[in-house]
Amino acid sequence: MRNKENHLNASVRRLRIGLAVAASALAVCVLPATALGSVTDTTQFSVTPGSLNFGTAPDAPNLPTLTLNGQSQTLTNAMANFSVADATGSGSGYNVTVVGDSAGGKSPVFKQYCPNATCGTDSGPGYVTSGATLAASSLTLNSTSAGFTAQNGTTGTAPTHSCNSGCFMDTASPVKVVSAATNAGMGSYITNGYGASSLSLATPSNVKVLQSNEVYRVDLVWSLNSGP
């Protein structure tokens, strides 16, 4: 009787072991659902070019009052910061130039100007016919200490200033003051670091005193052009 029980127990154990082995084999053969199939996928985008323009336009500030002392003098002020946004995506670079404005009703050099309807015996507003003038190339921009700050997440190579030795602004031909090389200047950059005397006006000893409310004034044209 005991031998039958031992034989039966041994058979049960073998059956259990067999079932366990079979279950293990089945578990090994079952693959994850993700391996039952695969697909390919793509995503893409297109690029539309933007424009090249001034974010903040250049604007030379007014200079202080000149008090005559019988000598030549220099008036100074800090050049205002300006910014350029190159959204063309071309990498062509760009440059900024300045020149005296010779268009009608403008003056490319400092000239006598009446801002009111009348200024003593002169009428306005506008430049006084045959009024007093200063010589061309009297106004200088110096960018020795100036640099550029990237804006709006811009990365890459910044533009450079071109007037570290001084550039005349009231001239008959355009003068390059900023340049961005090929593949540089892309994005948005604003100038920084213009010194307190970065804008300077050389005045002679014989400057003529003007009538009440009149000033010496010059018109400048700033241009943003493609290419370094």
Side-chain angles (χ1 to χ4, degrees):
M1 183 68 176
R2 184 173 296 172
N3 289 336
K4 289 181 178 181
E5 291 178 353
N6 291 338
H7 180 73
L8 180 59
N9 290 337
S11 297
V12 170
R13 285 195 299 272
R14 284 194 297 271
L15 178 60
R16 288 175 176 173
I17 293 172
L19 290 174
V21 171
S24 298
L26 181 61
V28 170
C29 292
V30 175
L31 298 176
T34 55
L36 293 178
S38 62
V39 296
T40 60
D41 183 26
T42 63
T43 182
Q44 64 187 37
F45 71 98
S46 60
V47 178
T48 301
S51 59
L52 174 65
N53 53 51
F54 289 116
T56 300
D59 184 12
N62 291 336
L63 295 158
T65 300
L66 174 65
T67 299
L68 298 178
N69 62 6
Q71 303 176 23
S72 59
Q73 300 181 69
T74 300
L75 304 179
T76 62
N77 204 344
M79 176 61 192
N81 288 318
F82 60 92
S83 64
V84 175
D86 180 5
T88 63
S90 66
S92 298
Y94 59 79
N95 66 83
V96 177
T97 61
V98 64
V99 65
D101 192 348
S102 298
K106 307 290 185 179
S107 177
V109 298
F110 280 94
K111 184 176 180 179
Q112 187 174 350
Y113 181 86
C114 173
N116 305 324
T118 58
C119 299
T121 59
D122 295 328
S123 60
Y127 288 101
V128 177
T129 302
S130 300
T133 63
L134 298 186
S137 302
S138 295
L139 184 65
T140 301
L141 174 66
N142 190 298
S143 54
T144 300
S145 61
F148 283 92
T149 300
Q151 295 184 302
N152 306 317
T154 293
T155 59
T157 304
T160 58
H161 291 275
S162 306
C163 294
N164 291 343
S165 298
C167 293
F168 293 125
M169 304 169 70
D170 51 340
T171 61
S173 300
V175 176
K176 187 182 298 185
V177 298
V178 164
S179 178
T182 303
N183 295 324
M186 299 175 71
S188 300
Y189 287 91
I190 187 170
T191 62
N192 64 45
Y194 278 119
S197 58
S198 51
L199 191 68
S200 63
L201 173 66
T203 64
S205 60
N206 61 346
V207 174
K208 180 181 176 181
V209 173
L210 307 178
Q211 297 197 58
S212 178
N213 297 320
E214 288 185 338
V215 295
Y216 284 93
R217 172 169 157 169
V218 65
D219 294 291
L220 303 173
V221 177
W222 296 86
S223 300
L224 178 57
N225 317 288
S226 180

